[in-house]
C-alpha cells in the first residue's frame, strides 16, 4: 500500500499503480517474475476484479450502500460489485458507450442509462427492460423522484422529460441556453439547475415548470480571474448542491469552481485548479470540505476559507469520482484498467463494509512500509554525464524530478556504475578486507587501563558492574567525569568525609596503626 502525505495529510492508495499496469492475461504468464516484485506482493485489492478492460466512465454507490455500479469500456458494459462479498456481482454489455446513468431503486435492480447513440435504456434485474431515443445527443440526465420524471439534456436548448410512470414523453422545458452541458436537482426543495455552454445557469421550478432565476457564471469568473489567462469562454460543466439546500458549487470548462449561497447572487469564493481542464466532479463532504476533480487532479479544500486540505493525483486521467458517505474512502473512474481507490483517515473513518482499512493504516503507522521511491535512485544531471547516461534524458528510463532524475536502482547499480567505474568491485573488496581486519583487532584481548581522572571511583564501579574502561557508568552524559580534571573527587574535603564516614574511619585506623 503506497502512502503519500501532501500538505501533511496521509493518503493511502488502496489500488497500487503497479497493479493497474499489469493486465490479467500477463499475470499468469509472468507469475514467477511478479513474485519478486515488491509492489505486486504488497498490493491490496479492495474489491475483486474492481476495474474494466480499458477504462471506466462513471461510478456510483447505490442508496442502500451495499453495491457499487460502474460503466466502462471496451466493450461498453455495466458492472456491479457486491460490497458484502467484496467481489463483482455481474457484468452486462451494452450496444453503445455510456454517458451517464441514474439508480432508480435502493439497490442495483433498477437503473436508467443515457448512451452515446442518443438512446435511453431502462435496465432491471433481468436485463434491459425498455429502450427509447431522444432527438439530440445527450450529455446528462437526472431522475426526479416526486414526479417520476426523467430529465435529459444535450446539445440543444430543450430539456427532454420522460415520465417513467406513464411510459411516455411529456412536454419539455424550453431554456434560453444554446446548449445544456449538465443539470442537477436540489435535494432539499427539488429545484432544477441547468448549466449551459455560454457560461449561464438557469433555475426552474419542476412543479410550475417555470424559470425562477438565472446566474452568469462566466462573467463572475472573468471578473475574478484575468481574462487574458482564459483560453475560451468558461462553460458550466458540473453542478452540485449541498444537503442543506443553500450551498451550491459550479464547475467550469476552464478549471474554476464557484461556490455560491443560494440566497445571494455574489459568489462566496472561487477556487482555481490552475490546470485549465474542465471540472468533472463536485462533492460536498460531511467534514466541511469540498471535493472537486478535473482531468488531472482531485482537490479537497475547506468550504469556509478555501484553503487546501490535500490533493490526490491518480496515475491516469480522471473521468468520475465517487465519495462514500460519512467516510474517508474516495474512488475514481480513470482512463485505466483499475478503478483507483484512496483512503484519507483525516477525512473520515472507513466504511462499514471494509473496517479492515483502519487496521491496515494503524499497522502502517507502527511499521512504515516501503516508500514510493525506494526502488529508484536519484541522480543529478552531472552524475548522469559521468555515468554516460545523458543520452537517456527524455526517455521512459529516466523520470525528471526537481533538479535531477529518478533512475531504476537495478540499472544504476548493475550496469551504469559497472560501466563507469569497472574497478569499483576491487575497491569494494579492499574495503571489506580492511573492515574484517579491524573487527579481528577489536576482538583481541586488550590491556585494561583505568581512566586518569577518578581512578578509585572507576575501579569501584567496574567491580560492581561491567562497563567500558573509558566510561564505567556506560552513559555518555557522564563521560566527562572520567576525562575532565574539574570533576576530580577531592577525598580530603569536609563534604566528602561527611558523605563517606566509613572510609574516613578506615583511613584513620590504618594511619594510627602505622604510627604505632
Amino acid at each position: 500500500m503506497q502512502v503519500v502525505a501532501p500538505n501533511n495529510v496521509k493518503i493511502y492508495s488502496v489500488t497500487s499503480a503497479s497493479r493497474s499496469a499489469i493486465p490479467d492475461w500477463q499475470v499468469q504468464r509472468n507469475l514467477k517474475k511478479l513474485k519478486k516484485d515488491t509492489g505486486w506482493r504488497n498490493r491490496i485489492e479492495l474489491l475483486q476484479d474492481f476495474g474494466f478492460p480499458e477504462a471506466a466512465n462513471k461510478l456510483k454507490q447505490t442508496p442502500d450502500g451495499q453495491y457499487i455500479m460502474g460503466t466502462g469500456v471496451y466493450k461498453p458494459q455495466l458492472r456491479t460489485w457486491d460490497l458484502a462479498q467484496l467481489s463483482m456481482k455481474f457484468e452486462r454489455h451494452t450496444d453503445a458507450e455510456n454517458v451517464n446513468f441514474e439508480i432508480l431503486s435502493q439497490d442495483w435492480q433498477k437503473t436508467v442509462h443515457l448512451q452515446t447513440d442518443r438512446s435511453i435504456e431502462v435496465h432491471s434485474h433481468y436485463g434491459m427492460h425498455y429502450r427509447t431515443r431522444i432527438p439530440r445527443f445527450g450529455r446528462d440526465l437526472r431522475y426526479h423522484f416526486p414526479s417520476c420524471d426523467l430529465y435529459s439534456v444535450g446539445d440543444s436548448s430543450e430539456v427532454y422529460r420522460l415520465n417513467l410512470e406513464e411510459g411516455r414523453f411529456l412536454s419539455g422545458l424550453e431554456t434560453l441556453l444554446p446548449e445544456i452541458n449538465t443539470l442537477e436537482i436540489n435535494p432539499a426543495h427539488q429545484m432544477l439547475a441547468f448549466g449551459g455552454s455560454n457560461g449561464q445557469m438557469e433555475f426552474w421550478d419542476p412543479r410550475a415548470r417555470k424559470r425562477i432565476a438565472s446566474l452568469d457564471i462566466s462573467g463572475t469568473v472573468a471578473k475574478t480571474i484575468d481574462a487574458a489567462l482564459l483560453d475560451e469562454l468558461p462553460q458550466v460543466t458540473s453542478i452540485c448542491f449541498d444537503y442543506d439546500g443553500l450551498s451550491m458549487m459550479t464547475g467550469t470548462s476552464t478549471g474554476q469552481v464557484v461556490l455560491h449561497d443560494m440566497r445571494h447572487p455574489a459568489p462566496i469564493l472561487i477556487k482555481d485548479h490552475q490546470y485549465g481542464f474542465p471540472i468533472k466532479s463536485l462533492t460536498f463532504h460531511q467534514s466541511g470540505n469540498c471535493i472537486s476533480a478535473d482531468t488531472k487532479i482531485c482537490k479537497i479544500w475547506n468550504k469556509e476559507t478555501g484553503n487546501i486540505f490535500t490533493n490526490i493525483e491518480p496515475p491516469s486521467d480522471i473521468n468520475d469520482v465517487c465519495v462514500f458517505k460519512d467516510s474517508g474512502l474516495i474512488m475514481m473512474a480513470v482512463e485505466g484498467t483499475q478503478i483507483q481507490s484512496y483512503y484519507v483517515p483525516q477525512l473520515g473513518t472507513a466504511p462499514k463494509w471494509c473496517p479492515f482499512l483502519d487496521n491496515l493504516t494503524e499497522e502502517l503507522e507502527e511499521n512504515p512500509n516501503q516508500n514510493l521511491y525506494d526502488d529508484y535512485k536519484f541522480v543529478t544531471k552531472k552524475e548522469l554525464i559521468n555515468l554516460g547516461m545523458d543520452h537517456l534524458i527524455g526517455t521512459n528510463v529516466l523520470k525528471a524530478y526537481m533538479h535531477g532524475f529518478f533512475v531504476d536502482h537495478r540499472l544504476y547499480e548493475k550496469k551504469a556504475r559497472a560501466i563507469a567505474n569497472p574497478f569499483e568491485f576491487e575497491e569494494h573488496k579492499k574495503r571489506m578486507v580492511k573492515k574484517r581486519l579491524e573487527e579481528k583487532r577489536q576482538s583481541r584481548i586488550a590491556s585494561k587501563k583505568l581512566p586518569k581522572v577518578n581512578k578509585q571511583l572507576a575501579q569501584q564501579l567496574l567491580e560492581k558492574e561491567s562497563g567500558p574502561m573509558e566510561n564505567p557508568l556506560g552513559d555518555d552524559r557522564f563521560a566527562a567525569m572520567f576525562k575532565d580534571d574539574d570533576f576530580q573527587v577531592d577525598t580530603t574535603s569536609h563534604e566528602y568525609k561527611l558523605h563517606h564516614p566509613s572510609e574516613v574511619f578506615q583511613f584513620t585506623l590504618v594511619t594510627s596503626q602505622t604510627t604505632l
Side-chain angles (χ1 to χ4, degrees):
M1 184 187 294
Q2 295 180 357
V3 184
V4 294
N7 202 22
N8 295 325
V9 177
K10 289 193 175 182
I11 301 173
Y12 297 88
S13 177
V14 184
T15 305
S16 61
S18 59
R19 171 67 180 90
S20 62
I22 303 175
D24 293 336
W25 58 270
Q26 283 191 355
V27 172
Q28 298 297 330
R29 181 183 298 180
N30 302 324
L31 190 58
K32 292 183 179 179
K33 294 181 180 179
L34 291 175
K35 288 181 179 179
K36 300 179 181 180
D37 187 2
T38 306
W40 170 262
R41 288 188 287 106
N42 294 337
R43 77 190 188 282
I44 295 176
E45 291 189 3
L46 191 61
L47 294 173
Q48 187 178 4
D49 299 327
F50 194 47
F52 288 89
E54 293 294 334
N57 294 334
K58 292 292 180 178
L59 195 67
K60 292 184 180 181
Q61 183 189 15
T62 56
D64 60 1
Q66 299 297 323
Y67 303 92
I68 298 176
M69 303 188 72
T71 58
V73 292
Y74 179 80
K75 302 176 180 179
Q77 55 189 283
L78 163 70
R79 288 188 176 185
T80 301
W81 293 270
D82 190 349
L83 300 181
Q85 302 297 327
L86 299 179
S87 61
M88 184 170 65
K89 188 175 182 65
F90 70 89
E91 63 178 354
R92 184 181 299 165
H93 291 264
T94 57
D95 295 335
E97 189 174 344
N98 180 258
V99 177
N100 202 355
F101 70 96
E102 280 285 296
I103 301 174
L104 304 181
S105 60
Q106 291 296 314
D107 55 4
W108 58 271
Q109 297 190 16
K110 294 181 181 179
T111 56
V112 58
H113 300 257
L114 176 63
Q115 309 293 83
T116 54
D117 59 350
R118 296 191 292 117
S119 64
I120 294 179
E121 297 181 357
V122 181
H123 287 242
S124 184
H125 62 280
Y126 52 79
M128 187 179 68
H129 174 73
Y130 183 74
R131 181 178 182 180
T132 185
R133 301 188 74 179
I134 55 178
R136 306 297 290 268
F137 288 98
R139 297 180 181 178
D140 203 357
L141 84 165
R142 289 292 185 275
Y143 180 66
H144 188 249
F145 283 91
S147 62
C148 298
D149 287 342
L150 180 68
Y151 294 92
S152 57
V153 297
D155 55 353
S156 67
S157 60
E158 185 179 1
V159 180
Y160 304 108
R161 190 161 59 102
L162 174 63
N163 189 275
L164 299 184
E165 184 180 14
E166 300 179 10
R168 65 188 181 94
F169 281 98
L170 303 179
S171 58
L173 307 178
E174 286 291 342
T175 66
L176 300 178
L177 307 174
E179 295 178 357
I180 306 176
N181 295 329
T182 183
L183 79 153
E184 189 57 72
I185 301 176
N186 195 305
H189 42 72
Q190 304 299 313
M191 183 184 62
L192 302 177
F194 303 100
S197 59
N198 59 349
Q200 304 289 325
M201 286 186 64
E202 289 190 5
F203 301 92
W204 285 66
D205 186 354
R207 299 167 297 179
R209 293 189 294 278
K210 292 183 179 180
R211 186 184 300 105
I212 302 174
S214 61
L215 192 62
D216 185 9
I217 300 297
S218 60
T220 303
V221 173
K223 291 178 182 178
T224 307
I225 300 175
D226 190 3
L229 301 177
L230 300 176
D231 297 334
E232 58 182 8
L233 179 69
Q235 302 181 20
V236 179
T237 57
S238 56
I239 306 171
C240 180
F241 289 102
D242 201 355
Y243 288 100
D244 58 5
L246 298 177
S247 301
M248 180 187 69
M249 277 194 298
T250 307
T252 65
S253 60
T254 53
Q256 291 82 29
V257 180
V258 185
L259 181 63
H260 275 93
D261 190 317
M262 298 294 296
R263 296 166 292 187
H264 198 275
I268 298 175
L269 59 89
I270 297 179
K271 193 69 179 178
D272 192 356
H273 275 222
Q274 298 180 348
Y275 276 93
F277 295 112
I279 303 297
K280 293 191 173 183
S281 177
L282 296 171
T283 307
F284 283 98
H285 199 268
Q286 79 280 355
S287 62
N289 294 312
C290 299
I291 302 176
S292 57
D294 59 12
T295 305
K296 294 295 183 183
I297 193 171
C298 176
K299 289 181 176 288
I300 306 175
W301 43 280
N302 188 271
K303 176 182 176 181
E304 302 295 334
T305 62
N307 296 332
I308 286 292
F309 179 73
T310 187
N311 296 328
I312 303 176
E313 298 186 47
S316 305
D317 292 346
I318 302 174
N319 290 328
D320 193 19
V321 176
C322 177
V323 182
F324 281 79
K325 295 181 181 179
D326 302 329
S327 72
L329 184 62
I330 300 174
M331 293 183 175
M332 299 183 186
V334 298
E335 289 290 333
T337 57
Q338 287 294 113
I339 295 175
Q340 300 296 317
S341 303
Y342 299 93
Y343 178 50
V344 187
Q346 297 184 24
L347 198 63
T349 58
K352 294 181 180 180
W353 56 272
C354 57
F356 53 85
L357 280 180
D358 289 327
N359 299 332
L360 288 174
T361 53
E362 290 177 2
E363 292 178 2
L364 288 176
E365 290 288 342
E366 297 175 358
N367 301 317
N369 205 346
Q370 187 181 23
N371 194 10
L372 181 63
Y373 297 109
D374 279 355
D375 294 333
Y376 293 89
K377 173 70 176 178
F378 180 79
V379 293
T380 61
K381 189 173 182 180
K382 184 178 180 180
E383 292 175 345
L384 279 179
I385 297 174
N386 296 333
L387 295 172
M389 298 174 61
D390 52 336
H391 63 285
L392 298 175
I393 297 177
T395 62
N396 296 330
V397 179
L398 300 177
K399 298 182 179 181
Y401 183 76
M402 294 179 67
H403 62 284
F405 302 88
F406 276 112
V407 62
D408 193 287
H409 202 276
R410 294 168 295 181
L411 176 63
Y412 177 79
E413 290 291 340
K414 295 182 179 180
K415 296 182 180 181
R417 291 182 60 183
I419 295 173
N421 190 3
F423 302 103
E424 186 175 3
F425 177 74
E426 296 296 332
E427 296 176 0
H428 175 70
K429 189 176 179 181
K430 291 180 181 179
R431 288 196 299 268
M432 293 300 295
V433 171
K434 185 178 179 180
K435 183 179 178 181
R436 290 183 180 179
L437 290 175
E438 291 179 354
E439 291 177 353
K440 287 182 179 180
R441 291 193 190 100
Q442 292 178 0
S443 64
R444 294 175 184 174
I445 300 174
S447 59
K448 296 183 178 180
K449 294 183 179 179
L450 294 173
K452 297 180 180 180
V453 181
N454 293 326
K455 289 184 179 181
Q456 185 179 357
L457 178 61
Q459 187 174 3
Q460 293 176 359
L461 293 173
L462 290 173
E463 290 176 356
K464 297 179 181 179
E465 299 178 358
S466 59
M469 298 297 295
E470 297 83 4
N471 186 8
L473 289 175
D475 196 336
D476 295 337
R477 295 176 298 176
F478 305 101
M481 186 176 178
F482 303 96
K483 296 179 181 179
D484 194 349
D485 294 335
D486 294 336
F487 293 96
Q488 177 66 45
V489 178
D490 186 8
T491 57
T492 61
S493 63
H494 181 69
E495 291 80 3
Y496 182 83
K497 293 178 180 180
L498 291 176
H499 287 85
H500 301 84
S502 58
E503 294 183 8
V504 175
F505 176 75
Q506 291 180 359
F507 177 76
T508 54
L509 182 61
V510 171
T511 52
S512 61
Q513 290 177 357
T514 53
T515 54
L516 292 174

